[in-house]
Amino acid sequence: MAQEKLMMKALSMDVITAKMFTELHLSIKEQYGEHGRELVQKGLEAFGLKDAEAMAKKATAEGENHTFFEYLPQVVEGEEKFADLTTYARFSKMFAQIAKQVVDEYGEEGEQVIMRAVERYGKKRGEGIAQRARTNGLENSVENYLTNYDMGRSDLFEIDTVYKKNEIEQTFTRCPFGQQWADDDMGKYGILYCKVIDPSIAQGYNENFEVMHDQFVLREGQCHFQFQMKE
């Protein structure tokens, strides 16, 4: 009997944001101890505790375990600052504010700590994408990567995708993450995410899946990728 295919829903951006926050918390605290925790707290406060609480509650309701609540008081006063923004924009603002605290104090070392957090987060997402494919009896091949991707892509993204033998070539002419960092003049922090995220997800999906990312929205005005499966 043929295996029944399961429809795998994309993760919400609230869950994805909670996953990223948790990895930032772990990497920064691992490197800098209690002072690292203070830097994360400072960044989250700069972002907005009420906005963080809103995302935390939504992620929890969807079953995601996270560390947001370690930084939030039992009762969070005030109103959300960014309720009218997209979930992509809120992700970008949260990431940048936390990265800013670490990088401004520790420079290149701080950049490595932030990129290590993104790498861990990306690899875990890639492992999840491979598992989504495996659920339907599919290999973690080039062909099954995007069709089992875990994050929804709204019309805020403009993407051209070309499939080749053992390769996917993608060009992003619009990206809401990069655009938000550019709008906020936070590109020096956002680029730390952009440099690491796609290669890390690909590695988590398949250790032989490599990514060449040679153009960035924050630098050249568009992102260009070549996803290649090595023999």
Side-chain angles (χ1 to χ4, degrees), residues 59-95:
T60 302
E62 294 180 49
E64 178 63 24
N65 292 326
H66 56 78
T67 56
F68 268 125
F69 287 129
E70 291 188 25
Y71 294 85
L72 299 173
Q74 193 70 30
V75 177
V76 182
E77 304 291 345
E79 297 181 355
E80 293 178 57
K81 296 184 292 183
F82 306 123
D84 294 335
L85 296 185
T86 69
T87 50
Y88 304 106
R90 294 201 293 274
F91 175 101
S92 299
K93 285 179 174 291
M94 182 278 296
F95 179 89

Side-chain angles (χ1 to χ4, degrees), residues 49-179:
L49 295 183
K50 197 67 177 178
D51 294 271
E53 181 190 52
M55 292 189 298
K57 287 181 175 180
K58 290 175 183 177
T60 302
E62 294 180 49
E64 178 63 24
N65 292 326
H66 56 78
T67 56
F68 268 125
F69 287 129
E70 291 188 25
Y71 294 85
L72 299 173
Q74 193 70 30
V75 177
V76 182
E77 304 291 345
E79 297 181 355
E80 293 178 57
K81 296 184 292 183
F82 306 123
D84 294 335
L85 296 185
T86 69
T87 50
Y88 304 106
R90 294 201 293 274
F91 175 101
S92 299
K93 285 179 174 291
M94 182 278 296
F95 179 89
Q97 288 295 344
I98 293 173
K100 183 179 190 304
Q101 312 309 317
V102 177
V103 173
D104 285 3
E105 180 153 346
Y106 291 104
E108 291 184 7
E109 179 188 275
E111 291 179 358
Q112 293 301 315
V113 172
I114 297 300
M115 289 192 288
R116 184 159 62 244
V118 177
E119 180 181 19
R120 291 173 174 176
Y121 154 82
K123 283 186 175 179
K124 288 178 181 178
R125 279 186 54 195
E127 291 166 359
I129 295 168
Q131 185 170 317
R132 290 160 73 93
R134 182 65 181 86
T135 297
N136 282 321
L138 301 173
E139 296 179 348
N140 51 345
S141 64
V142 170
E143 295 77 15
N144 297 324
Y145 181 61
L146 293 180
T147 54
N148 289 280
Y149 204 67
D150 61 341
M151 187 182 80
R153 295 266 174 77
S154 76
D155 57 7
L156 294 172
F157 292 88
E158 289 184 357
I159 315 168
D160 178 61
T161 302
V162 178
Y163 282 90
K164 304 175 183 180
K165 184 178 180 181
N166 287 329
E167 181 180 321
I168 306 169
E169 183 176 14
Q170 282 195 311
T171 303
F172 285 67
T173 52
R174 286 184 62 198
C175 170
F177 299 120
Q179 188 60 56

